[in-house]
Amino acid sequence: MPPVAGRVEPQGSLADFIWFRTGGPAEWLVRPDTVEALADLLAALDPDVPVLPVGVGSNLIVRDGGVPGVVVRLPKAMARVSVEPGNRVRAGAGAMGITVASAARDAGIAGLEFLRGIPGTVGGAVRMNAGAYGRDTSDILVEATVVTRAGAIETWPAERLGYTYRHSELPAGAVVVEAVFEGTPGDPAAIGAEMDRIAAEREASQPLRSRTGGSTFKNPDGHKAWALIDAAGCRGLRRGDAQVSEKHCNFLLNLGAASSAEIEALAEEVRARVKAHSGVELEWEIQRVGLAQ
């Protein structure tokens, strides 16, 4: 491991912060102090060493054998949010969606309210084109600053990310460090009311106070994943301490002592049952990383 300005933890625990609270450690868990420190590290790192950026792990299954290579977590210094002219918000990739939405509300910038319903970081939202309530990150992104796997700091216009549903063309190992979003002029009270509506709807429909991982599967064209899962008889289905949520069938739960293998196997059983029942092949939305034990 090359020297890096920041915190370096061999065999760093990921289960301490991943939403499911499961999975093995990172071979190296690195929290760089600055964007430049991250760039220097990636430039010096053997090109064959895999690099995985992780935010709060709200949409992640870390397999029980852990993650080889380097896992990068951005520090609080890369979570700053500021408002700029032209109804724009600049956000560090470590910032949470709710922080960005709140800054936009306070500045009278509409169109970013849906970020209130995304429980992850800006970096994760940019990488996977996160969306909710009819809007996607690609609708509001102007540009993103990334550190490439080779260690170059580059600013990419949104078009370069090649967005499709819950997917971007950002290369493996590249780390988003900042994003600029653009909305439209709006009334702060109306924006706040919409954010409150989104928060209430999430609270009513999703298992927010559980060890979960967000939406497990993408919505297939013309369908809602949760409805297909429900119709296939999977609501409440269990494997060990892994369970399909009774509240929202597209969420999986760790009831206490589930392994990542049990969670992933339960999801594959759901996929098989949905395929047998409706003929629809569900695609994973949650990212699965690391090695099986």
Side-chain angles (χ1 to χ4, degrees):
M1 167 64 64
V4 58
R7 184 174 163 195
V8 177
E9 198 178 340
Q11 297 302 304
S13 173
L14 301 177
D16 282 349
F17 64 89
I18 295 298
W19 273 32
F20 274 123
R21 295 294 191 267
T22 62
E27 184 177 353
W28 297 96
L29 180 58
V30 177
R31 296 174 174 89
D33 285 343
T34 63
V35 172
E36 292 73 23
L38 173 61
D40 290 345
L41 169 66
L42 297 190
L45 203 59
D46 185 314
D48 292 333
V49 174
V51 172
L52 175 71
V54 173
V56 292
S58 58
N59 206 35
L60 198 63
I61 294 174
V62 175
R63 293 185 172 118
D64 300 305
V67 179
V70 172
V71 172
V72 174
R73 284 204 85 193
L74 301 182
K76 285 188 170 59
M78 294 189 214
R80 297 193 183 102
V81 177
S82 60
V83 174
E84 299 188 343
N87 299 299
R88 292 187 172 187
V89 178
R90 182 178 296 272
M96 297 294 290
I98 185 174
T99 308
V100 179
S102 299
R105 174 200 62 208
D106 295 347
I109 300 172
L112 279 65
E113 296 91 339
F114 75 97
L115 293 175
R116 172 65 181 85
I118 295 175
T121 61
V122 164
V126 169
R127 173 171 283 278
M128 69 169 288
N129 194 18
Y133 305 97
R135 302 213 77 198
D136 297 325
T137 301
S138 58
D139 296 331
I140 58 171
L141 185 71
V142 177
E143 63 186 31
T145 302
V146 304
V147 179
T148 69
R149 178 60 186 83
I153 303 171
E154 299 178 352
T155 299
W156 290 20
E159 298 74 31
R160 186 172 171 185
L161 288 158
Y163 277 131
T164 52
Y165 175 62
R166 301 294 175 266
H167 177 77
S168 77
E169 296 295 334
L170 194 67
V175 182
V176 178
V177 292
E178 191 175 70
V180 177
F181 302 111
E182 185 176 308
T184 56
D187 172 55
I191 295 166
E194 173 63 6
M195 287 173 60
D196 290 345
R197 183 194 70 79
I198 288 170
E201 190 171 317
R202 285 190 71 230
E203 182 72 42
S205 65
Q206 298 176 13
L208 302 182
R209 304 183 193 289
S210 308
R211 295 180 177 186
T212 185
S215 296
T216 308
F217 302 110
K218 300 176 183 179
N219 287 324
D221 285 344
H223 298 279
K224 292 288 188 184
W226 76 264
L228 293 169
I229 295 165
D230 200 15
C234 296
R235 185 183 293 268
L237 188 66
R238 281 185 67 166
R239 181 177 287 234
D241 259 4
Q243 182 184 39
V244 176
S245 171
E246 299 262 9
K247 194 171 188 180
H248 192 310
C249 297
N250 200 24
F251 284 67
L252 302 182
L253 308 177
N254 171 10
L255 298 179
S259 65
S260 292
E262 286 172 327
I263 294 169
E264 191 169 356
L266 175 63
E268 289 294 355
E269 183 176 346
V270 168
R271 290 182 75 226
R273 290 193 183 199
V274 168
K275 174 77 170 175
H277 180 265
S278 64
V280 176
E281 186 108 32
L282 290 176
E283 288 185 38
W284 282 89
E285 181 170 321
I286 284 183
Q287 190 179 6
R288 294 158 295 151
V289 299
L291 307 172
Q293 205 160 35

